[in-house]
Amino acid sequence: MTILEVSSQTWIITLVGWSVVFVALFLLIFIFNNIPKLLKMNFKREKTAKPQKVQTETAGDKYISGDETAAIAMAIHMFFEEQHDEESNIITIKRIERRYSPWSSKIYGLRNFPN
Amino acid sequence: MENKYRKSIVALAAVVLLLTLQAVFGWVDAWAADAPGAAASAGAEGGALEGLKSFWSFTGFANFHISNLVMIVVGLFFIFLAIKYDYEPLLLIPIGTGILLGNIPFVPGYNVGIYESGSVMNYLYFGVKQGIYPPLIFLGIGAMTDFSSLISNPKLMLLGAAAQLGIFATFLGASALGFNPQEAGAIGIIGGADGPTAIFLSAMLAPHLMGAIAIAAYSYMALVPVIQPPIIRLIIPKKERKIKMKPPRAVSKVEKILFPIIGLLLTLFIAPTALPLLGMLFFGNILKESGVTERLADTSRNALINIVTILLGVTVGASTQADVFLTIDSLKIFGLGALSFMVATAGGLVFARIMNLFLRGDNKINPMIGAAGVSAVPDSARVVQVEGQKNDTSNHLLMHAMAPNVSGVIGSAVGAGILLSFLL
């Protein structure tokens, strides 16, 4: 049988194929919709045994919106920007009083003949 | 003005020189054949002349055909698009150069051409013919993809499935145009908007059409920023284009590790024929997310994928040798390819609008992200981001669009696996 110049077998491949793509991804959706719940179930069990440890873990999983993240990032940035050594802000070459330097002194030369 | 004339005169002189050379050697041929006692005078002079003739017959000018010129212009156009407009330069530069290499006229029989067994190009082409390069590319893609946007909002995976309408609609269209089922399947995969998948499937189902299919898939992928925006504006009303989506939730490390493992097992149990593609994709992602194989992940997403992209691009380009490539079938494939990209984009967009009918409050999605369901990663997600910004500068859709985008990669590979199991 042909529908719109295409054989029925082609139609079957089309419909079954597209449906299978949906089914595969739908199963993944189902699993990943439920995985957070499964993971949280474990946390609850731990909560009764070790309440202190769980507090830190749930704090890690806490949802933070983009705006809050940006605000925290800005605060940290400003904090670190301000953390700076106190400096005089005067940048000059320090004059050294003792001007003598033996680096070119003739008295250390090799061509000093004994008198 | 003078400069302009000078250029024209130089170009004209070059053409005249070439024609003169061809004419002179033509006369020499005729004279050598007609001259009385030509055979007897095959002395030193004849040897020199023969040498020159032989040299001339080996040059590209002597073997030139107008179809070579057409393909060389196509190759130059690809290089131009990549450099001038930055359209997928990592693909179009190797492919464009490959087209130039594949269309230099040569004398057959000297192990030069890509289709001559024993030639260097033929050895490099082996990786394409046997479907070796695409899984390696998928390994690299897996090692560089972050699935967290998908894991945080799994329902967006449906958009990746909806956009695969492009594959199956093109499969129907190709069948209606008279291609046999295997050829139709190979052409249909262009709608998956995924170059490696298209090469893999066409190598298995219709190797003789692979050059045209690969070129169509890659050129339309590069043209995603041109093809998609008008379709988005046509299907999505302005009001819906401004919808802001709630930010994705933070995804735990355990979920990120579980995703490739579960994805691998589930999808491959459904479509084992997609094993080389999906297996490598999820393997790459396990390397990335496990956190203990950073060196392997780093090699996969940098050195390995770069090497394979170079080899794949240049050999696919060179496979467009004019005598094999310039056929009516290629034109049909290009037409169907353009249509498949449009249908795939429309499929994702329409499905996103349908999904919105069932979603309430801030769970509603911006239907534009449906366009990212075609798997051209990350170009189609970038198109959605740009379109979103045009309507509301504070609306950032990139992260949301990446979810259907990467699920499109999975969806098109599953689709390819299904077509293989039906048609192989």
Side-chain angles (χ1 to χ4, degrees):
Chain A
M1 196 178 85
T2 56
I3 307 162
L4 298 172
E5 303 289 319
V6 175
S7 71
S8 57
Q9 196 200 354
T10 307
W11 280 103
I12 289 169
I13 295 172
T14 303
L15 296 175
V16 173
W18 200 26
S19 319
V20 173
V21 175
F22 264 100
V23 169
L25 291 177
F26 195 79
L27 284 172
L28 269 178
I29 294 171
F30 175 77
I31 292 170
F32 279 89
N33 269 334
N34 290 303
I35 274 188
K37 290 172 198 164
L38 284 170
L39 293 174
K40 272 182 189 165
M41 269 169 63
N42 276 347
F43 288 153
K44 273 177 195 165
R45 269 178 217 153
E46 278 181 35
K47 204 173 186 174
T48 51
K50 300 173 194 166
Q52 272 188 333
K53 196 181 175 188
V54 173
Q55 263 187 352
T56 54
E57 280 182 32
T58 46
D61 286 347
K62 196 185 164 190
Y63 166 72
I64 302 171
S65 76
D67 293 344
E68 283 175 80
T69 315
I72 293 167
M74 190 63 195
I76 292 171
H77 172 73
M78 287 174 74
F79 175 72
F80 282 118
E81 278 295 295
E82 281 177 17
Q83 264 197 349
H84 205 268
D85 295 341
E86 286 295 326
E87 285 179 5
S88 64
N89 294 330
I90 304 163
I91 303 167
T92 53
I93 297 169
K94 219 178 222 175
R95 285 184 75 86
I96 299 169
E97 288 305 314
R98 182 170 49 84
R99 293 191 176 195
Y100 169 74
S101 167
W103 74 274
S104 65
S105 173
K106 298 285 182 288
I107 59 166
Y108 298 115
L110 287 174
R111 300 184 64 188
N112 285 332
F113 298 105
N115 291 325
Chain B
M1 202 62 183
E2 234 174 58
N3 209 13
K4 203 172 163 186
Y5 284 128
R6 202 180 300 156
K7 278 181 190 166
S8 314
I9 290 166
V10 170
L12 194 71
V15 172
V16 168
L17 183 71
L18 287 176
L19 289 175
T20 316
L21 273 173
Q22 198 158 23
V24 165
F25 280 99
W27 291 332
V28 167
D29 279 353
W31 173 74
D34 294 344
S41 67
E45 289 167 50
L49 208 62
E50 284 299 313
L52 273 174
K53 265 172 64 186
S54 161
F55 168 72
W56 173 252
S57 69
F58 272 97
T59 61
F61 302 111
N63 298 290
F64 177 78
H65 189 267
I66 193 73
S67 57
N68 295 121
L69 184 67
V70 173
M71 289 311 298
I72 287 172
V73 170
V74 172
L76 292 174
F77 181 62
F78 275 28
I79 295 172
F80 168 76
L81 282 181
I83 297 171
K84 175 83 178 167
Y85 297 107
D86 207 25
Y87 287 162
E88 295 272 3
L90 299 182
L91 293 173
L92 289 193
I93 294 279
I95 292 178
T97 315
I99 295 176
L100 301 185
L101 290 178
N103 286 285
I104 300 293
F106 61 89
V107 181
Y110 291 91
N111 290 352
V112 177
I114 194 164
Y115 294 112
E116 291 183 314
S117 66
S119 74
V120 175
M121 290 303 277
N122 188 261
Y123 277 113
L124 297 179
Y125 191 53
F126 182 81
V128 177
K129 264 194 308 193
Q130 298 300 318
I132 298 167
Y133 297 148
L136 293 176
I137 296 262
F138 262 59
L139 176 71
I141 294 173
M144 66 170 77
T145 304
D146 184 357
F147 285 106
S148 33
S149 59
L150 190 68
I151 302 167
S152 71
N153 200 354
K155 64 175 178 287
L156 297 181
M157 265 190 247
L158 285 177
L159 298 174
Q164 304 317 315
L165 174 67
I167 296 180
F168 296 101
T170 317
F171 174 60
L172 284 178
S175 300
L177 280 180
F179 287 99
N180 69 36
Q182 282 74 22
E183 290 171 339
I187 295 167
I189 204 67
I190 299 172
D194 199 334
T197 311
I199 290 170
F200 181 77
L201 196 72
S202 52
M204 300 284 168
L205 293 178
H208 56 289
L209 297 180
M210 195 176 55
I213 290 171
I215 293 289
Y218 277 118
S219 19
Y220 292 128
M221 271 168 69
L223 292 174
V224 155
V226 180
I227 298 172
Q228 286 198 322
I231 303 170
I232 293 175
R233 282 176 226 141
L234 188 74
I235 294 178
I236 310 295
K238 202 158 191 176
K239 194 181 149 198
E240 289 183 33
R241 280 182 242 159
K242 289 181 180 168
I243 293 177
K244 278 191 178 174
M245 293 172 68
K246 69 173 182 184
R249 72 174 171 86
V251 175
S252 71
K253 191 168 170 56
V254 182
E255 284 175 279
K256 281 187 184 179
I257 296 171
L258 284 176
F259 183 80
I261 296 170
I262 295 174
L264 184 149
L265 293 172
L266 188 81
T267 53
L268 291 183
F269 266 88
I270 292 172
T273 34
L275 189 143
L277 295 176
L278 285 174
M280 292 304 247
L281 177 81
F282 288 125
F283 169 48
N285 199 242
I286 293 171
L287 290 179
K288 174 180 182 279
E289 299 300 351
S290 66
V292 289
T293 49
E294 189 44 43
R295 273 171 51 192
L296 303 186
D298 183 55
T299 305
S300 312
R301 69 171 159 254
N302 293 309
L304 183 67
I305 200 170
N306 288 346
I307 292 168
V308 180
T309 303
I310 291 169
L311 295 176
L312 184 83
V314 85
T315 46
V316 162
S319 72
T320 62
Q321 214 168 285
D323 51 338
V324 183
F325 187 76
L326 284 182
T327 58
I328 299 292
D329 277 354
S330 298
L331 285 180
K332 284 183 192 171
I333 289 168
F334 268 81
L336 284 165
L339 207 67
S340 71
F341 263 63
M342 292 175 197
V343 172
T345 307
L349 292 168
V350 170
F351 196 84
R353 289 193 71 187
I354 294 171
M355 269 175 80
N356 260 354
L357 297 177
F358 298 94
L359 298 170
R360 294 276 162 265
D362 64 350
N363 275 328
K364 275 193 186 294
I365 57 171
N366 187 317
M368 284 200 295
I369 65 169
V374 305
S375 54
V377 182
D379 268 20
S380 50
R382 222 181 281 152
V383 167
V384 173
Q385 163 76 4
V386 170
E387 286 301 305
Q389 293 272 295
K390 277 182 192 165
N391 291 286
D392 180 355
T393 47
S394 66
N395 200 0
H396 299 282
L397 294 170
L398 188 66
M399 273 309 285
H400 303 290
M402 279 311 286
N405 212 187
V406 290
S407 74
V409 176
I410 301 171
S412 59
V414 172
I418 295 158
L419 285 175
L420 267 181
S421 35
F422 271 114
L423 301 170
L424 205 59

